[in-house]
Amino acid sequence: MHLAEPEKMLSSALWVLCCTVAICSSVSASSDVRKQDYGRCPISSETIGQGPDTVIGRSSLQCASECSKTEQCQSVAVCPGDDPGHVLCELRNDFTQAQCSQGDIENHACHLAYKTTTELVCENGGTPNGTKCFCPLPFAGRLCQRYMRDCAEGYENGHQDEHKDAYLIQPITSPAPFLVECEFALGGMTYPLWRQVSGTSWSAVTWEQAKVGFGDDLNVEPDSKNFFVGLEKLHQILSQGLNNNQILSKYGPPWKTSSAYYDNFSVAAEPTKYQLSYDSFYAFADNPSLNGLDVGSGPVVFAAPGNDPNGCAGSRGAPGWYGSSCSGHSMFADPPTWPVPGQGSPELIEVLFVLVRSEPFWEE
């Protein structure tokens, strides 16, 4: 992939943490490796300042990123968190003493990061825009150094139109980028599943096919309405933040639309059989829907030929997410159905997942 000539400007978004270490970050879709200098130092008991505003982070760089988002923040003290893999970020208005234990300070478990001025180097055709770069699709990150993590990130970066198209995304835990359908409106919508039922047959899909994805190749048919990115990629998208999911169904004639909304919709990792969960369900009167994922008590797990934990894929004749009693509606059935008030469970002519992330990523 072509990498445009970097553009530069002065910015205050990189950080110095006293003694210098080298951190390498490789640019997506390129063999180039760019080195940037950071450092660490223990916090001195002589530093004083304003009281802290503490947030929980995953790393020193995330702490620095949180401080970058606030003009008043000039330094951040990084201390061990209560949970493994997390740190406490104490955002400060000047150079200040961290609220760490003396043992943490003596063992250099705490350190102080403070703002400094350096060059902003935009990659992949990005252009300087304040303290970060404006990135062309499908790139993202402060320097446009990586792919978008989901379609909502494109919206957050300023791409806010209603055009739908296939774009590469790379969630945090994904080893490689992959294509999904994006729409950069209403918060940025990611479409991991889209099925126009006529002429398709999904009921014989196996576990391995469902895991890796199937349907039309979005490289060849970017406007396709017949694809599923796969259980593993769906899990990767959903595991990086809170997401709301709209299951939009069309049925008829006469043609009507049903929309089921799920807050904090998630799909767990493969060892759980890609267990599905959500916090709440709701619908609106103009596109009424009942909860097709309501299976009563117990976990809702994915079942398919090759991995059918409760025998539900066999007894229902299609893969899908089912409860222990094999209840639930599957968009993989031939044909799929969905419950609608006063309509029973009509056969669908189209069904799709529409994901919108409801919390921001941290900037690296």
Side-chain angles (χ1 to χ4, degrees), residues 116-305:
T116 185
T117 300
T118 188
E119 287 181 323
L120 183 68
V121 181
C122 299
E123 301 172 3
N124 293 310
T127 54
N129 183 27
T131 59
K132 60 180 295 186
C133 301
F134 177 78
C135 305
L137 296 169
F139 297 104
R142 184 176 157 271
L143 304 177
C144 309
Q145 76 279 12
R146 58 169 175 80
Y147 289 107
M148 300 182 296
R149 291 175 178 153
D150 62 8
C151 302
E153 194 167 30
Y155 178 90
E156 293 163 354
N157 289 342
H159 302 280
Q160 300 180 3
D161 59 71
E162 297 183 358
H163 176 67
K164 295 186 183 73
D165 208 344
Y167 290 96
L168 285 168
I169 66 170
Q170 186 170 7
I172 295 171
T173 61
S174 177
F178 55 87
L179 286 166
V180 296
E181 193 85 7
C182 289
E183 181 175 0
F184 301 109
L186 303 176
M189 295 177 282
T190 303
Y191 296 83
L193 182 152
W194 198 320
R195 183 184 182 189
Q196 288 184 334
V197 177
S198 178
T200 68
S201 177
W202 288 17
S203 61
V205 166
T206 66
W207 177 270
E208 285 302 316
Q209 289 174 311
K211 177 182 174 179
V212 302
F214 61 90
D216 293 336
D217 184 350
L218 294 179
N219 274 306
V220 179
E221 300 182 62
D223 295 325
S224 169
K225 303 297 184 289
N226 182 33
F227 65 89
F228 175 48
V229 298
L231 295 164
E232 187 63 26
K233 295 182 180 73
L234 180 59
H235 162 67
Q236 291 166 358
I237 295 170
L238 293 170
S239 64
Q240 52 189 357
L242 298 180
N243 282 267
N244 299 327
N245 184 22
Q246 175 191 7
I247 298 181
L248 191 152
S249 306
K250 296 181 180 179
Y251 61 96
W255 310 125
K256 297 180 181 179
T257 299
S258 170
S259 291
Y261 295 88
Y262 297 89
D263 284 335
N264 194 15
F265 184 88
S266 66
V267 171
E270 184 177 11
T272 71
K273 305 295 189 294
Y274 295 106
Q275 181 175 329
L276 183 152
S277 63
Y278 55 90
D279 284 350
S280 61
F281 157 82
Y282 60 96
F284 297 106
D286 54 347
N287 292 303
S289 175
L290 297 175
N291 186 358
L293 300 179
D294 184 7
V295 298
S297 60
V300 182
V301 299
F302 197 85

Side-chain angles (χ1 to χ4, degrees), residues 42-52 74-77 90-99 105 112 114:
I43 296 172
S44 166
S45 60
E46 298 175 357
T47 56
I48 58 174
Q50 309 265 346
Q74 296 301 311
S75 66
V76 57
E90 296 182 359
L91 310 182
R92 304 285 183 146
N93 294 340
D94 54 13
F95 305 109
T96 65
Q97 168 66 43
Q99 303 300 310
I105 294 175
L112 185 71
Y114 58 92

